[in-house]
Amino acid sequence: MSDRTLRYLIAAVIAMLLVFHIGNLIAAAFGAAWGAVSAVAVAAVSLLSARLARTGGRSSFWFLLPTLLFTIVPTAIMVWRAITADTGILQRLVDLLPFLVGFVGPIALLFLVYYELRKRGRSG
């Protein structure tokens, strides 16, 4: 597979993780219908930002901005919920662990691989 194909696959996986997590977060807070609407909205924004990034040439600002926004906001919400919970510190960490391992960690690793592939494509 070429580096370009790998970058597209990684961007698609990042978008799928974002769509799933934002939809899941909104569904838990407001119900399934709003979760579905938010998942569609996140998917649309991700596709639009990917198209803008593609037309922008080497700049990945349009890919990075919504991805970071859709990563930072849920992270802040989850951390806020854990901090304000009426439980001990150990229970708070246990509550945050699935979120960190299942969402924040994979997104961070995928970003790292994506930018390494972009760097390799620019130098090669």
Side-chain angles (χ1 to χ4, degrees), residues 43-122:
V45 169
S46 296
L47 288 173
L48 178 66
S49 64
R51 177 168 272 177
L52 287 172
R54 201 172 309 137
T55 60
R58 294 186 172 207
S59 174
S60 59
F61 173 76
W62 288 110
F63 174 72
L64 185 64
L65 179 70
T67 305
L68 285 176
L69 179 70
F70 291 140
T71 303
I72 291 171
V73 171
T75 302
I77 290 170
M78 294 300 288
V79 169
W80 182 256
R81 283 183 183 172
I83 289 173
T84 60
D86 291 333
T87 59
I89 189 75
L90 185 59
Q91 184 62 40
R92 290 178 189 171
L93 290 174
V94 168
D95 290 342
L96 274 178
L97 192 61
F99 172 72
L100 294 173
V101 171
F103 180 68
V104 175
I107 291 286
L109 290 173
L110 286 168
F111 266 134
L112 180 68
V113 172
Y114 180 82
Y115 278 104
E116 276 300 314
L117 285 171
R118 279 188 65 86
K119 217 170 25 174
R120 188 186 313 173
R122 287 181 185 165

